[in-house]
Amino acid sequence: MKAVRKAVLPVAGLGTRVLPGSKTTPKELLNVVDRPILSYIVEEAREAGIEHLVFVTGRGKAAIEDYFDHHIELEAQLEAKGKTEMLAAIRAELPRPGEMSFVRQMRPLGLGHAVWCARDIVGDEPFAVLLPDVIIDAAPGGLKQLVDAYGKVGGNLISVEEVAPSETDKYGIVDPLSRDGDLVKMKGMVEKPKPEAAPSTLSITGRYILQPEIFPLLAEQGRGAGGEIQLTDGMARLMERQDFHAQVYAGVSYDCGDKIGLLRANVALALKRPDLGDAARAAVEALLRG
Ligand code: G1P
């Protein structure tokens, strides 16, 4: 079984749900507490053993490349002022030379098309996909849990969680065949079904491990839900030939592409921070008291 060394991060999305904040700042760089959403996602990928990150970017996303590069003036200023802790934190996130690639999705044709844009860099090996909208708060991290499950069952895997029956039309939904603990063998999946048509309430959370045979399927994938080329539809076809498991991961997810999800992430992760938790709790309680 080949190890999962590469991860694809589709970061070309327009972020329409968090406008106007995402008009000139990529939504992936909006802050949660004191660092960008993307910083949490990259940390999760590295923890899972990922050695190479492929960002699928688009117009207006150049700040993402700059974020993962030296900022010479800033670093010099921090050094001159003796802010060594902040300087170390900023440098710790920087990639090893060559650890990151950036490829452009030139038209917003959907998640399946975005992943397909990474095919030449991924090549002929299994790879992970992390949707950068979703922060997963978990230990071990969401992708690490999936990589561990991959070590046992191989094939293709996705992270899932339970959603309310009325919410199925916001997510990809799994059609389960059988369940063994946190692992669900799948027989199908469907993108954003109406509640009455949903095969279950297990929703795709935004972490995937896929075999490279997905790429030729995505190349010829027609438009699906929302008029977009859907990754879910490509996976449903790959499932006719290869094994797919869903893992009900242990942890909490925050949809940071959504106003309330972003707010929840900020509050929840501030409350958990050893350096900020007490102050965050006092601030939230004062607000609730009115
Ligand atoms: C995407 C996927 C969907 C998944 C969701 C998770 O949808 O297509 O299957 O459940 O992310 O956030 P999007 O939110 O990009 O419409």
Side-chain angles (χ1 to χ4, degrees):
M1 189 190 299
K2 281 192 193 168
V4 183
R5 301 186 310 120
K6 296 179 183 170
V8 175
L9 287 80
V11 293
L14 293 174
T16 47
R17 292 179 294 160
V18 286
L19 279 169
S22 54
K23 183 179 165 192
T24 50
T25 301
K27 67 172 171 179
E28 298 80 7
L29 294 184
L30 295 177
N31 254 15
V32 169
V33 190
D34 55 3
R35 60 193 178 108
I37 297 165
L38 204 45
S39 162
Y40 293 85
I41 311 291
V42 168
E43 182 180 57
E44 182 187 331
R46 286 174 169 154
E47 183 216 355
I50 297 299
E51 296 167 10
H52 192 96
L53 296 147
V54 186
F55 292 86
V56 182
T57 73
R59 276 183 295 285
K61 299 282 183 164
I64 292 175
E65 258 178 272
D66 290 340
Y67 184 81
F68 290 107
D69 194 1
H70 282 289
H71 188 321
I72 304 294
E73 297 86 349
L74 176 67
E75 290 177 36
Q77 284 286 333
L78 292 174
E79 190 131 42
K81 292 188 170 148
K83 301 204 167 181
T84 46
E85 241 175 76
M86 182 52 70
L87 183 60
I90 283 177
R91 286 185 174 156
E93 276 201 308
L94 293 177
R96 288 176 291 103
E99 185 192 349
M100 293 182 174
S101 299
F102 296 84
V103 61
R104 196 104 159 189
Q105 184 190 27
M106 295 159 72
R107 291 198 293 152
L109 296 178
L111 180 58
H113 179 261
V115 170
W116 178 74
C117 287
R119 67 199 178 283
D120 285 351
I121 305 175
V122 171
D124 189 24
E125 55 181 288
F127 63 102
V129 178
L130 297 101
L131 301 192
D133 280 359
V134 183
I135 290 181
I136 295 186
D137 182 25
L143 188 61
K144 174 80 170 76
Q145 293 181 35
L146 208 57
V147 165
D148 289 346
Y150 175 75
K152 292 180 197 144
V153 295
N156 302 268
L157 287 116
I158 56 173
S159 299
V160 295
E161 64 186 66
E162 286 285 353
V163 288
S166 59
E167 303 264 280
T168 57
D169 58 359
K170 291 188 185 159
Y171 304 98
I173 301 289
V174 163
D175 191 355
L177 181 66
S178 58
R179 181 163 177 171
D180 179 11
D182 65 353
L183 273 188
V184 177
K185 187 133 181 21
M186 294 166 60
K187 66 172 189 284
M189 64 179 107
V190 43
E191 184 66 16
K192 303 195 173 79
K194 297 238 174 312
E196 56 276 18
S200 77
T201 48
L202 286 176
S203 77
I204 301 175
T205 307
R207 303 293 183 266
Y208 312 73
I209 291 174
L210 297 171
Q211 298 297 323
E213 288 76 22
I214 191 76
F215 289 125
L217 296 176
L218 291 176
E220 54 174 43
Q221 183 63 50
R223 290 171 189 254
E228 298 188 346
I229 298 171
Q230 295 289 354
L231 180 59
T232 301
D233 295 340
M235 292 192 298
R237 285 166 58 224
L238 184 56
M239 207 179 301
E240 292 164 13
R241 306 175 199 171
Q242 293 188 2
D243 273 357
F244 263 84
H245 285 88
Q247 181 187 50
V248 187
Y249 72 93
V252 181
S253 72
Y254 300 99
D255 179 4
C256 298
D258 169 80
K259 293 181 209 7
I260 298 299
L262 189 58
L263 176 68
R264 282 181 66 235
N266 269 289
V267 174
L269 297 179
L271 287 172
K272 283 187 77 171
R273 278 267 294 261
D275 58 334
L276 294 173
D278 289 346
R281 182 168 306 280
V284 171
E285 282 173 357
L287 280 173
L288 292 175
R289 275 196 306 273

Short mmCIF file of all heavy atoms in Angstrom, two decimals, residues 17 27 111 131 133-134 170-173 189-192 203-208 228 230-232 235 255, ligand 1:
data_model
loop_
_atom_site.label_atom_id
_atom_site.label_comp_id
_atom_site.label_asym_id
_atom_site.label_seq_id
_atom_site.Cartn_x
_atom_site.Cartn_y
_atom_site.Cartn_z
N ARG A 17 -20.22 33.57 1.04
CA ARG A 17 -21.01 33.58 2.28
C ARG A 17 -20.39 34.48 3.35
O ARG A 17 -21.02 34.75 4.36
CB ARG A 17 -21.18 32.15 2.82
CG ARG A 17 -22.08 31.28 1.94
CD ARG A 17 -22.21 29.87 2.51
NE ARG A 17 -20.93 29.16 2.48
CZ ARG A 17 -20.65 28.10 3.22
NH1 ARG A 17 -21.55 27.62 4.07
NH2 ARG A 17 -19.48 27.51 3.13
N LYS A 27 -10.79 34.12 1.64
CA LYS A 27 -11.51 33.69 2.86
C LYS A 27 -10.65 32.74 3.69
O LYS A 27 -10.76 32.71 4.91
CB LYS A 27 -12.85 33.04 2.51
CG LYS A 27 -12.72 31.72 1.78
CD LYS A 27 -14.04 30.99 1.63
CE LYS A 27 -13.84 29.80 0.69
NZ LYS A 27 -15.00 29.00 0.45
N LEU A 111 -15.70 21.80 -7.26
CA LEU A 111 -14.67 21.14 -6.45
C LEU A 111 -13.99 19.99 -7.22
O LEU A 111 -12.77 19.80 -7.13
CB LEU A 111 -15.31 20.62 -5.15
CG LEU A 111 -14.41 19.89 -4.17
CD1 LEU A 111 -13.25 20.76 -3.73
CD2 LEU A 111 -15.22 19.42 -2.97
N LEU A 131 -10.56 20.36 2.61
CA LEU A 131 -11.30 21.57 2.25
C LEU A 131 -10.98 22.64 3.29
O LEU A 131 -11.19 22.43 4.50
CB LEU A 131 -12.81 21.30 2.21
CG LEU A 131 -13.26 20.22 1.23
CD1 LEU A 131 -14.78 20.26 1.08
CD2 LEU A 131 -12.59 20.36 -0.13
N ASP A 133 -12.31 25.35 4.11
CA ASP A 133 -13.41 26.01 4.84
C ASP A 133 -13.58 25.42 6.23
O ASP A 133 -14.12 26.06 7.12
CB ASP A 133 -14.75 25.72 4.14
CG ASP A 133 -14.96 26.60 2.94
OD1 ASP A 133 -14.09 27.43 2.69
OD2 ASP A 133 -16.00 26.44 2.28
N VAL A 134 -13.22 24.16 6.34
CA VAL A 134 -13.60 23.39 7.53
C VAL A 134 -12.42 23.20 8.46
O VAL A 134 -11.43 22.54 8.10
CB VAL A 134 -14.17 22.00 7.12
CG1 VAL A 134 -14.65 21.24 8.34
CG2 VAL A 134 -15.29 22.16 6.10
N LYS A 170 -27.08 20.61 2.29
CA LYS A 170 -25.89 21.48 2.34
C LYS A 170 -24.60 20.69 2.12
O LYS A 170 -23.51 21.28 2.05
CB LYS A 170 -25.79 22.14 3.72
CG LYS A 170 -26.86 23.16 4.00
CD LYS A 170 -26.52 23.87 5.30
CE LYS A 170 -27.61 24.82 5.71
NZ LYS A 170 -27.54 25.12 7.14
N TYR A 171 -24.69 19.36 2.09
CA TYR A 171 -23.49 18.51 2.13
C TYR A 171 -23.56 17.36 1.14
O TYR A 171 -24.63 17.03 0.63
CB TYR A 171 -23.32 17.91 3.54
CG TYR A 171 -23.28 18.92 4.64
CD1 TYR A 171 -24.42 19.21 5.38
CD2 TYR A 171 -22.10 19.60 4.93
CE1 TYR A 171 -24.39 20.16 6.39
CE2 TYR A 171 -22.06 20.54 5.93
CZ TYR A 171 -23.21 20.83 6.66
OH TYR A 171 -23.17 21.77 7.65
N GLY A 172 -22.40 16.71 0.95
CA GLY A 172 -22.40 15.40 0.33
C GLY A 172 -22.86 14.40 1.38
O GLY A 172 -22.46 14.50 2.54
N ILE A 173 -23.72 13.45 0.99
CA ILE A 173 -24.28 12.50 1.95
C ILE A 173 -23.96 11.06 1.52
O ILE A 173 -24.06 10.72 0.34
CB ILE A 173 -25.82 12.69 2.08
CG1 ILE A 173 -26.15 14.12 2.55
CG2 ILE A 173 -26.44 11.64 3.01
CD1 ILE A 173 -25.81 14.46 3.98
N MET A 189 -22.86 7.68 -2.72
CA MET A 189 -22.90 9.00 -2.08
C MET A 189 -23.55 9.97 -3.05
O MET A 189 -23.52 9.77 -4.27
CB MET A 189 -21.52 9.48 -1.65
CG MET A 189 -20.54 9.70 -2.73
SD MET A 189 -19.00 10.30 -2.00
CE MET A 189 -17.96 8.87 -2.16
N VAL A 190 -24.16 10.99 -2.49
CA VAL A 190 -24.90 11.93 -3.34
C VAL A 190 -24.68 13.35 -2.81
O VAL A 190 -24.59 13.56 -1.60
CB VAL A 190 -26.40 11.52 -3.44
CG1 VAL A 190 -26.95 11.11 -2.11
CG2 VAL A 190 -27.25 12.61 -4.04
N GLU A 191 -24.52 14.28 -3.74
CA GLU A 191 -24.21 15.66 -3.35
C GLU A 191 -25.49 16.45 -3.08
O GLU A 191 -26.36 16.55 -3.93
CB GLU A 191 -23.38 16.33 -4.46
CG GLU A 191 -22.90 17.73 -4.16
CD GLU A 191 -21.89 17.82 -3.01
OE1 GLU A 191 -21.31 16.80 -2.62
OE2 GLU A 191 -21.70 18.94 -2.50
N LYS A 192 -25.58 16.97 -1.88
CA LYS A 192 -26.64 17.89 -1.45
C LYS A 192 -28.06 17.41 -1.78
O LYS A 192 -28.85 18.11 -2.42
CB LYS A 192 -26.40 19.27 -2.06
CG LYS A 192 -25.01 19.83 -1.67
CD LYS A 192 -24.86 21.29 -1.94
CE LYS A 192 -23.55 21.83 -1.38
NZ LYS A 192 -22.35 21.58 -2.14
N SER A 203 -22.77 13.13 6.78
CA SER A 203 -22.34 14.13 5.80
C SER A 203 -20.83 14.14 5.63
O SER A 203 -20.08 13.87 6.57
CB SER A 203 -22.81 15.52 6.24
OG SER A 203 -21.97 15.99 7.26
N ILE A 204 -20.41 14.45 4.41
CA ILE A 204 -18.98 14.53 4.08
C ILE A 204 -18.42 15.81 4.70
O ILE A 204 -18.91 16.91 4.44
CB ILE A 204 -18.78 14.54 2.55
CG1 ILE A 204 -19.38 13.27 1.93
CG2 ILE A 204 -17.32 14.70 2.20
CD1 ILE A 204 -19.36 13.25 0.41
N THR A 205 -17.38 15.65 5.53
CA THR A 205 -16.89 16.79 6.32
C THR A 205 -15.82 17.61 5.61
O THR A 205 -15.57 18.75 6.00
CB THR A 205 -16.30 16.25 7.65
OG1 THR A 205 -17.29 15.45 8.27
CG2 THR A 205 -15.94 17.37 8.59
N GLY A 206 -15.15 17.05 4.62
CA GLY A 206 -14.13 17.85 3.94
C GLY A 206 -12.72 17.33 4.08
O GLY A 206 -11.74 18.06 3.89
N ARG A 207 -12.58 16.04 4.42
CA ARG A 207 -11.28 15.37 4.41
C ARG A 207 -11.43 14.08 3.62
O ARG A 207 -12.37 13.31 3.88
CB ARG A 207 -10.81 15.03 5.84
CG ARG A 207 -10.73 16.23 6.77
CD ARG A 207 -9.63 17.21 6.35
NE ARG A 207 -9.54 18.31 7.30
CZ ARG A 207 -10.16 19.49 7.15
NH1 ARG A 207 -10.95 19.70 6.11
NH2 ARG A 207 -9.99 20.44 8.05
N TYR A 208 -10.52 13.86 2.68
CA TYR A 208 -10.63 12.71 1.79
C TYR A 208 -9.25 12.08 1.61
O TYR A 208 -8.24 12.78 1.63
CB TYR A 208 -11.09 13.15 0.38
CG TYR A 208 -12.27 14.08 0.29
CD1 TYR A 208 -12.16 15.42 0.63
CD2 TYR A 208 -13.50 13.64 -0.20
CE1 TYR A 208 -13.25 16.30 0.52
CE2 TYR A 208 -14.60 14.51 -0.32
CZ TYR A 208 -14.46 15.83 0.05
OH TYR A 208 -15.53 16.69 -0.06
N GLU A 228 -22.20 22.49 -10.99
CA GLU A 228 -20.74 22.38 -10.84
C GLU A 228 -20.25 20.96 -11.06
O GLU A 228 -21.01 19.99 -10.86
CB GLU A 228 -20.34 22.85 -9.44
CG GLU A 228 -20.69 24.30 -9.19
CD GLU A 228 -20.11 24.81 -7.87
OE1 GLU A 228 -19.67 23.99 -7.05
OE2 GLU A 228 -20.11 26.04 -7.70
N GLN A 230 -18.76 18.10 -9.64
CA GLN A 230 -18.69 17.73 -8.23
C GLN A 230 -17.71 16.59 -7.98
O GLN A 230 -17.74 15.57 -8.67
CB GLN A 230 -20.09 17.32 -7.72
CG GLN A 230 -21.12 18.44 -7.74
CD GLN A 230 -20.85 19.51 -6.67
OE1 GLN A 230 -19.96 19.36 -5.83
NE2 GLN A 230 -21.63 20.59 -6.71
N LEU A 231 -16.89 16.76 -6.95
CA LEU A 231 -16.00 15.68 -6.51
C LEU A 231 -16.83 14.47 -6.09
O LEU A 231 -16.49 13.32 -6.37
CB LEU A 231 -15.12 16.18 -5.36
CG LEU A 231 -14.13 15.17 -4.77
CD1 LEU A 231 -13.15 14.67 -5.82
CD2 LEU A 231 -13.36 15.79 -3.60
N THR A 232 -17.95 14.74 -5.41
CA THR A 232 -18.81 13.66 -4.93
C THR A 232 -19.27 12.76 -6.07
O THR A 232 -19.29 11.54 -5.95
CB THR A 232 -20.05 14.25 -4.19
OG1 THR A 232 -19.56 15.05 -3.11
CG2 THR A 232 -20.96 13.17 -3.65
N MET A 235 -16.39 10.57 -7.19
CA MET A 235 -16.15 9.51 -6.20
C MET A 235 -17.20 8.42 -6.31
O MET A 235 -16.89 7.23 -6.19
CB MET A 235 -16.15 10.10 -4.78
CG MET A 235 -14.98 11.02 -4.51
SD MET A 235 -14.81 11.43 -2.75
CE MET A 235 -16.33 12.27 -2.40
N ASP A 255 -17.53 25.12 10.13
CA ASP A 255 -17.59 25.58 8.74
C ASP A 255 -17.27 27.07 8.71
O ASP A 255 -18.14 27.91 8.91
CB ASP A 255 -18.97 25.30 8.14
CG ASP A 255 -19.07 25.80 6.70
OD1 ASP A 255 -18.05 26.27 6.15
OD2 ASP A 255 -20.16 25.71 6.12
C1 G1P B 1 -18.28 20.60 -0.33
C2 G1P B 1 -18.53 19.17 -0.82
C3 G1P B 1 -19.55 18.49 0.07
C4 G1P B 1 -19.11 18.55 1.52
C5 G1P B 1 -18.83 20.00 1.93
C6 G1P B 1 -18.24 20.05 3.33
O1 G1P B 1 -19.44 21.38 -0.57
O2 G1P B 1 -18.96 19.21 -2.17
O3 G1P B 1 -19.73 17.15 -0.34
O4 G1P B 1 -20.09 17.96 2.36
O5 G1P B 1 -17.93 20.64 1.04
O6 G1P B 1 -18.10 21.38 3.77
P1 G1P B 1 -19.41 23.00 -0.54
O7 G1P B 1 -19.50 23.38 0.90
O8 G1P B 1 -18.12 23.41 -1.17
O9 G1P B 1 -20.61 23.42 -1.32
#
